[in-house]
Amino acid sequence: MNESLLELGAVEMRDRLASGALRASEVATACLERIEARDRDVGAWAYLDPEHVMKQAAALDAYRASGKPIGTLHGMPVGLKDIIDTAGMPTENGTVLDSGRVPVQDAFVVTRLKQCGAIIMGKTVTAELAHLAPGKTRNPHAPDHTPGGSSSGSAAAVAAGMIPLALGAQTGGSVIRPAAFCGVVGFKPTFGGIPRTGVLAQSPSLDTLGVFARSVEGVAMIAEALFGHDAGDPATSSAPAPRLLEAARSSPPLEPGLAFVRQPCWDQAEEVTRAAFAELVQTLGEKCDPVELPALFSQAIAVRERINDAEMAKAFHHYARRGHDRLSPQTLAALDRGNRVLARDYLAALDLPAILNAGLDELFDRFDAIITPAAPGPAPSGLESTGSSIFNALWTLCGTPAITLPLLETERSLPMGVQIVGRRGDDTRLLRTAAWLERVHSSAQTNDAVA
């Protein structure tokens, strides 16, 4: 196995493929060998066809040899959460009710990935219907701990070095939480940034596609390729796609100012999280100020759940009708709650994000970004739950961009994520700030090691 190849950063791998220093077939072979070696223990894949992977790689190598212009992700292997439609390839949405389902049309993001020259490696495990009932995936750092969810397979596959890039989706905390638990970078763009056409709809007011890599530059590279407008998704904008990779590679004109926000759920933060963030804030010094959110923000967690439950009850009614006894208790409980939400309360809930974002805008006039925990603590022990998304709820409700960096860890070397949140629509500033913090933290670690 070419271990050194798999240790390359996603952007460096892309650049070597573009220059011809690497062939797509070499990268695909290395990934398949790593999957063969690791996936028996991790269980990240819902569907994988090595022969199809190698056919894609061979076709890309032949295309490059023809001298024609290559795509921006030429030869890059990408894993897809198994709620993203792939023509001719199973998309089973993590439920036995969709067993054997093979779409006839690619989702928007799959079409875009193919246009960019990416290799579609296969489908990664999702929790049932991208909700809470866990799939088979285990945490690569500790097999007896959850990898998070619902994008469990995508986060674990990247963390285990099986692939450099993967796609997921977040309705509560399904990108940020598994990325934090598995020790990779997870990026949830501004709501509507990446078109969702051809992706399982759970809660259209909240569902957001996101990406995984091992660095800020990596998530910026793939997210930039996917941003855009699609008539099939009314949440998308016709504005030009932001230059995310350029932003992640640039230096801020001034050192960013960060707001440390404990969030209304701070009482649920574990002691190890409280201690780690106290140390982080102290290390950042005058670059970081503690900020308290107004009392109204305490409503966000319940309101997000109300919207999610009500829209899920509508979106998944057909599943309950044809297979009620084959759905998990977690899914059935959410559908029951959703069926009991009054129209008055649902419509009132939809009004809150605009009010909260107005308050956040005032904060972002003073600070470049917010830092806050990505989860109450490290990945919990046990595989019966995907862990709590309570530290992600506010940002998903508000549609703000968020990214988690694996900057912290416990004494047992379990990863802990630092969640960084930006102003809605300002994904470029968020990624630039996150990349800056990534560099600052790396430099501090190097200095500590030398000392």
Side-chain angles (χ1 to χ4, degrees):
M1 184 190 299
N2 193 336
E3 292 285 349
S4 60
L5 189 162
L6 295 175
E7 297 308 314
L8 292 174
V11 176
E12 184 180 357
M13 181 182 288
R14 189 276 309 264
D15 291 346
R16 291 196 186 186
L17 283 161
S19 70
L22 276 178
R23 290 181 293 113
S25 55
E26 291 179 279
V27 174
T29 297
C31 289
L32 289 171
E33 289 178 350
R34 176 66 65 87
I35 291 169
E36 175 66 24
R38 294 294 312 274
D39 201 49
R40 185 177 294 104
D41 297 325
V42 177
W45 296 92
Y47 177 82
L48 181 74
D49 181 351
E51 184 179 349
H52 179 59
V53 169
M54 294 309 298
K55 282 183 178 178
Q56 293 177 75
L60 288 166
D61 285 335
Y63 182 86
R64 192 188 186 287
S66 72
K68 297 176 183 177
I70 61 172
T72 56
L73 295 175
H74 174 82
M76 291 296 293
V78 180
L80 303 176
K81 183 176 183 177
D82 195 29
I83 62 169
I84 300 171
D85 279 355
T86 40
M89 183 184 292
T91 303
E92 299 181 335
N93 298 316
T95 173
V96 295
L97 295 176
D98 280 338
S99 179
R101 175 179 178 269
V102 179
V104 297
Q105 186 173 342
D106 283 331
F108 174 94
V109 290
V110 179
T111 299
R112 182 67 68 83
L113 286 170
K114 290 178 177 178
Q115 291 170 343
C116 291
I119 296 174
I120 306 302
M121 285 293 292
K123 312 307 283 291
T124 56
V125 172
T126 175
E128 179 189 59
L129 296 172
H131 191 235
L132 296 177
K136 64 179 181 179
T137 309
R138 294 171 175 266
N139 194 309
H141 294 273
D144 57 338
H145 288 245
T146 178
S150 59
S151 307
S152 50
S154 288
V158 172
M162 300 178 192
I163 43 173
L165 303 167
L167 271 59
Q170 176 159 314
T171 306
S174 295
V175 169
I176 299 298
R177 180 168 88 263
F181 287 171
C182 292
V184 297
V185 178
F187 173 44
K188 180 198 79 70
T190 292
F191 176 76
I194 299 175
R196 303 166 296 177
T197 311
V199 179
L200 177 72
Q202 180 187 131
S203 178
S205 299
L206 302 169
D207 296 340
T208 309
L209 283 172
V211 293
F212 300 88
R214 295 200 303 271
S215 68
V216 176
E217 286 190 3
V219 295
M221 177 180 71
I222 186 168
E224 180 177 312
L226 301 175
F227 259 66
H229 172 69
D230 182 62
D233 185 351
T236 59
S237 168
S238 58
R243 302 179 69 162
L244 300 178
L245 181 55
E246 180 181 298
R249 287 179 140 175
S250 66
S251 297
L254 299 171
E255 282 199 334
L258 302 173
F260 170 48
V261 171
R262 290 185 173 87
Q263 297 196 55
C265 54
W266 184 249
D267 62 330
Q268 297 195 36
E270 297 176 17
E271 184 55 41
V272 65
T273 300
R274 294 169 183 251
F277 271 82
E279 184 176 338
L280 176 64
V281 170
Q282 183 178 19
T283 300
L284 291 170
E286 61 184 19
K287 306 182 192 74
C288 183
D289 292 328
V291 173
E292 296 294 327
L293 295 176
L296 183 63
F297 282 80
S298 64
Q299 298 181 24
I301 293 167
V303 166
R304 190 219 64 82
E305 185 173 277
R306 187 176 307 139
I307 293 170
N308 193 169
D309 289 345
E311 295 186 346
M312 184 173 165
K314 174 182 180 292
F316 293 166
H317 176 66
H318 66 100
Y319 286 112
R321 189 175 64 245
R322 65 186 173 93
H324 184 277
D325 60 340
R326 304 184 77 185
L327 293 173
S328 68
Q330 297 96 317
T331 298
L332 291 174
L335 295 178
D336 182 59
R337 291 193 305 268
N339 286 327
R340 290 185 280 111
V341 174
L342 297 178
R344 174 198 66 202
D345 296 335
Y346 168 68
L347 294 173
L350 293 176
D351 291 335
L352 187 62
I355 300 170
L356 297 183
N357 273 311
L360 290 174
D361 282 344
E362 293 184 11
L363 190 151
F364 288 125
D365 286 340
R366 297 165 47 209
F367 297 96
D368 292 272
I370 289 168
I371 62 169
T372 192
S381 178
L383 302 173
E384 304 80 20
S385 164
T386 59
S388 171
S389 62
I390 198 166
F391 278 89
N392 317 123
L394 169 58
W395 320 117
T396 304
L397 175 68
C398 291
T400 54
I403 187 170
T404 183
L405 307 184
L407 303 184
L408 309 173
E409 63 178 30
T410 68
E411 291 182 356
R412 290 186 55 208
S413 299
L414 284 175
M416 294 170 57
V418 176
Q419 183 174 204
I420 311 170
V421 182
R423 189 197 300 261
R424 182 164 174 153
D426 203 352
D427 298 68
T428 51
R429 173 177 284 196
L430 173 66
L431 288 170
R432 185 178 67 188
T433 302
W436 169 84
L437 183 58
E438 194 176 49
R439 292 191 295 270
V440 166
H441 186 265
S442 176
S443 177
Q445 283 191 316
T446 301
N447 291 338
D448 287 346
V450 171

PDB file of all heavy atoms in Angstrom, residues 278-290:
ATOM      1  N   ALA A 278     -11.406  26.707  28.211  1.00  0.00           N
ATOM      2  CA  ALA A 278     -10.806  27.727  29.069  1.00  0.00           C
ATOM      3  C   ALA A 278      -9.332  27.911  28.707  1.00  0.00           C
ATOM      4  O   ALA A 278      -8.831  29.055  28.612  1.00  0.00           O
ATOM      5  CB  ALA A 278     -10.954  27.325  30.535  1.00  0.00           C
ATOM      6  N   GLU A 279      -8.659  26.798  28.444  1.00  0.00           N
ATOM      7  CA  GLU A 279      -7.247  26.868  28.057  1.00  0.00           C
ATOM      8  C   GLU A 279      -7.080  27.485  26.674  1.00  0.00           C
ATOM      9  O   GLU A 279      -6.176  28.299  26.444  1.00  0.00           O
ATOM     10  CB  GLU A 279      -6.645  25.467  28.091  1.00  0.00           C
ATOM     11  CG  GLU A 279      -5.143  25.442  27.802  1.00  0.00           C
ATOM     12  CD  GLU A 279      -4.558  24.051  27.944  1.00  0.00           C
ATOM     13  OE1 GLU A 279      -5.159  23.209  28.638  1.00  0.00           O
ATOM     14  OE2 GLU A 279      -3.489  23.808  27.347  1.00  0.00           O
ATOM     15  N   LEU A 280      -7.985  27.116  25.738  1.00  0.00           N
ATOM     16  CA  LEU A 280      -7.908  27.676  24.393  1.00  0.00           C
ATOM     17  C   LEU A 280      -8.119  29.179  24.405  1.00  0.00           C
ATOM     18  O   LEU A 280      -7.371  29.931  23.761  1.00  0.00           O
ATOM     19  CB  LEU A 280      -8.946  27.003  23.492  1.00  0.00           C
ATOM     20  CG  LEU A 280      -9.056  27.542  22.058  1.00  0.00           C
ATOM     21  CD1 LEU A 280      -7.755  27.311  21.289  1.00  0.00           C
ATOM     22  CD2 LEU A 280     -10.218  26.876  21.332  1.00  0.00           C
ATOM     23  N   VAL A 281      -9.124  29.638  25.146  1.00  0.00           N
ATOM     24  CA  VAL A 281      -9.408  31.074  25.224  1.00  0.00           C
ATOM     25  C   VAL A 281      -8.233  31.805  25.864  1.00  0.00           C
ATOM     26  O   VAL A 281      -7.841  32.900  25.419  1.00  0.00           O
ATOM     27  CB  VAL A 281     -10.717  31.319  26.010  1.00  0.00           C
ATOM     28  CG1 VAL A 281     -10.897  32.807  26.304  1.00  0.00           C
ATOM     29  CG2 VAL A 281     -11.906  30.783  25.229  1.00  0.00           C
ATOM     30  N   GLN A 282      -7.630  31.204  26.869  1.00  0.00           N
ATOM     31  CA  GLN A 282      -6.469  31.823  27.514  1.00  0.00           C
ATOM     32  C   GLN A 282      -5.296  31.906  26.538  1.00  0.00           C
ATOM     33  O   GLN A 282      -4.577  32.912  26.481  1.00  0.00           O
ATOM     34  CB  GLN A 282      -6.076  31.026  28.755  1.00  0.00           C
ATOM     35  CG  GLN A 282      -4.906  31.644  29.534  1.00  0.00           C
ATOM     36  CD  GLN A 282      -4.587  30.850  30.784  1.00  0.00           C
ATOM     37  OE1 GLN A 282      -4.970  29.690  30.916  1.00  0.00           O
ATOM     38  NE2 GLN A 282      -3.875  31.471  31.714  1.00  0.00           N
ATOM     39  N   THR A 283      -5.107  30.855  25.740  1.00  0.00           N
ATOM     40  CA  THR A 283      -4.020  30.844  24.760  1.00  0.00           C
ATOM     41  C   THR A 283      -4.220  31.917  23.693  1.00  0.00           C
ATOM     42  O   THR A 283      -3.261  32.582  23.277  1.00  0.00           O
ATOM     43  CB  THR A 283      -3.937  29.462  24.081  1.00  0.00           C
ATOM     44  OG1 THR A 283      -3.688  28.466  25.073  1.00  0.00           O
ATOM     45  CG2 THR A 283      -2.831  29.435  23.037  1.00  0.00           C
ATOM     46  N   LEU A 284      -5.470  32.108  23.264  1.00  0.00           N
ATOM     47  CA  LEU A 284      -5.763  33.123  22.239  1.00  0.00           C
ATOM     48  C   LEU A 284      -5.633  34.533  22.784  1.00  0.00           C
ATOM     49  O   LEU A 284      -5.437  35.487  22.021  1.00  0.00           O
ATOM     50  CB  LEU A 284      -7.162  32.894  21.671  1.00  0.00           C
ATOM     51  CG  LEU A 284      -7.324  31.635  20.818  1.00  0.00           C
ATOM     52  CD1 LEU A 284      -8.792  31.377  20.507  1.00  0.00           C
ATOM     53  CD2 LEU A 284      -6.528  31.755  19.515  1.00  0.00           C
ATOM     54  N   GLY A 285      -5.760  34.691  24.087  1.00  0.00           N
ATOM     55  CA  GLY A 285      -5.533  35.979  24.725  1.00  0.00           C
ATOM     56  C   GLY A 285      -6.450  37.074  24.221  1.00  0.00           C
ATOM     57  O   GLY A 285      -7.674  36.902  24.132  1.00  0.00           O
ATOM     58  N   GLU A 286      -5.874  38.197  23.846  1.00  0.00           N
ATOM     59  CA  GLU A 286      -6.663  39.363  23.441  1.00  0.00           C
ATOM     60  C   GLU A 286      -7.355  39.171  22.097  1.00  0.00           C
ATOM     61  O   GLU A 286      -8.184  39.983  21.704  1.00  0.00           O
ATOM     62  CB  GLU A 286      -5.779  40.600  23.388  1.00  0.00           C
ATOM     63  CG  GLU A 286      -4.631  40.500  22.392  1.00  0.00           C
ATOM     64  CD  GLU A 286      -3.717  41.709  22.429  1.00  0.00           C
ATOM     65  OE1 GLU A 286      -3.745  42.443  23.441  1.00  0.00           O
ATOM     66  OE2 GLU A 286      -2.976  41.919  21.448  1.00  0.00           O
ATOM     67  N   LYS A 287      -7.044  38.078  21.398  1.00  0.00           N
ATOM     68  CA  LYS A 287      -7.731  37.793  20.133  1.00  0.00           C
ATOM     69  C   LYS A 287      -9.125  37.221  20.357  1.00  0.00           C
ATOM     70  O   LYS A 287      -9.888  37.054  19.412  1.00  0.00           O
ATOM     71  CB  LYS A 287      -6.926  36.789  19.298  1.00  0.00           C
ATOM     72  CG  LYS A 287      -5.480  37.162  19.023  1.00  0.00           C
ATOM     73  CD  LYS A 287      -4.814  36.098  18.157  1.00  0.00           C
ATOM     74  CE  LYS A 287      -3.307  36.279  18.093  1.00  0.00           C
ATOM     75  NZ  LYS A 287      -2.652  35.868  19.354  1.00  0.00           N
ATOM     76  N   CYS A 288      -9.473  36.880  21.600  1.00  0.00           N
ATOM     77  CA  CYS A 288     -10.737  36.193  21.876  1.00  0.00           C
ATOM     78  C   CYS A 288     -11.404  36.781  23.111  1.00  0.00           C
ATOM     79  O   CYS A 288     -10.755  36.920  24.166  1.00  0.00           O
ATOM     80  CB  CYS A 288     -10.469  34.696  22.072  1.00  0.00           C
ATOM     81  SG  CYS A 288     -11.949  33.718  22.326  1.00  0.00           S
ATOM     82  N   ASP A 289     -12.673  37.127  22.993  1.00  0.00           N
ATOM     83  CA  ASP A 289     -13.440  37.677  24.110  1.00  0.00           C
ATOM     84  C   ASP A 289     -14.673  36.821  24.381  1.00  0.00           C
ATOM     85  O   ASP A 289     -15.400  36.467  23.442  1.00  0.00           O
ATOM     86  CB  ASP A 289     -13.909  39.105  23.800  1.00  0.00           C
ATOM     87  CG  ASP A 289     -12.758  40.094  23.727  1.00  0.00           C
ATOM     88  OD1 ASP A 289     -11.767  39.894  24.449  1.00  0.00           O
ATOM     89  OD2 ASP A 289     -12.857  41.055  22.942  1.00  0.00           O
ATOM     90  N   PRO A 290     -14.956  36.507  25.632  1.00  0.00           N
ATOM     91  CA  PRO A 290     -16.218  35.814  25.955  1.00  0.00           C
ATOM     92  C   PRO A 290     -17.404  36.729  25.681  1.00  0.00           C
ATOM     93  O   PRO A 290     -17.364  37.925  25.987  1.00  0.00           O
ATOM     94  CB  PRO A 290     -16.085  35.513  27.447  1.00  0.00           C
ATOM     95  CG  PRO A 290     -14.619  35.624  27.743  1.00  0.00           C
ATOM     96  CD  PRO A 290     -14.085  36.655  26.798  1.00  0.00           C
TER      97      PRO A 290
END
